[in-house]
Amino acid sequence: MSPLCCWPEGALLVGDVARPDLLGGPDEAAIYAETMCQMLQEKFLTLPGYVEVYPTHVSGSLCGGNIGSRLSTTIGYERQMNPVLVDLDHNDCFVNMVSTYHIFPRCLGIGQECGK
């Protein structure tokens, strides 16, 4: 039986995905980005398009670069409309995306230290 909904924590967001640069420098971001890309392709994008997605971060959160304003979405909608997912086949899609983030939250420096 296929699932009807999923809670991807902060990985898959409405119109976006989690930022891979929040817990380390450029080297860590590249590793996290590669892991995220693989997980999205193997775990989430294999689900049927009707599966409802309830992300833990919404518009205004710094945990994504351009999170949409809706509180939920579907796998099918994100497959077609999420610019990051559309570009997943390109190896450097996440690394290139990180360079477009305008703000790095200063308070997350504490999280970086705790994560080491």
Side-chain angles (χ1 to χ4, degrees):
M1 180 185 281
S2 294
L4 297 177
C5 61
C6 69
W7 287 265
E9 299 294 328
L12 178 59
L13 308 169
V14 175
D16 205 356
V17 297
R19 289 177 62 162
D21 67 328
L22 295 182
L23 292 177
D27 293 336
E28 290 90 351
I31 293 168
Y32 298 149
E34 184 177 332
T35 302
M36 174 80 72
C37 185
Q38 181 179 359
M39 180 203 48
L40 288 167
Q41 289 175 324
E42 294 176 3
K43 302 293 184 187
F44 292 110
L45 296 181
T46 59
L47 295 170
Y50 60 79
V51 172
E52 288 281 337
V53 177
Y54 297 97
T56 56
H57 302 287
V58 296
S59 181
S61 170
L62 294 174
C63 292
N66 191 28
I67 304 172
S69 61
R70 297 174 28 214
L71 298 179
S72 68
T73 186
T74 65
I75 294 294
Y77 181 85
E78 294 305 314
R79 265 194 211 115
Q80 292 182 6
M81 304 304 293
N82 187 321
V84 180
L85 298 183
V86 169
D87 200 32
L88 272 183
D89 291 336
H90 297 87
N91 292 335
D92 294 331
C93 68
F94 281 101
V95 176
N96 292 337
M97 184 181 65
V98 169
S99 67
T100 67
Y101 295 142
H102 301 291
I103 299 171
F104 185 85
R106 297 177 81 199
C107 63
L108 289 176
I110 296 168
Q112 288 179 335
E113 291 303 314
C114 292
K116 292 181 180 178

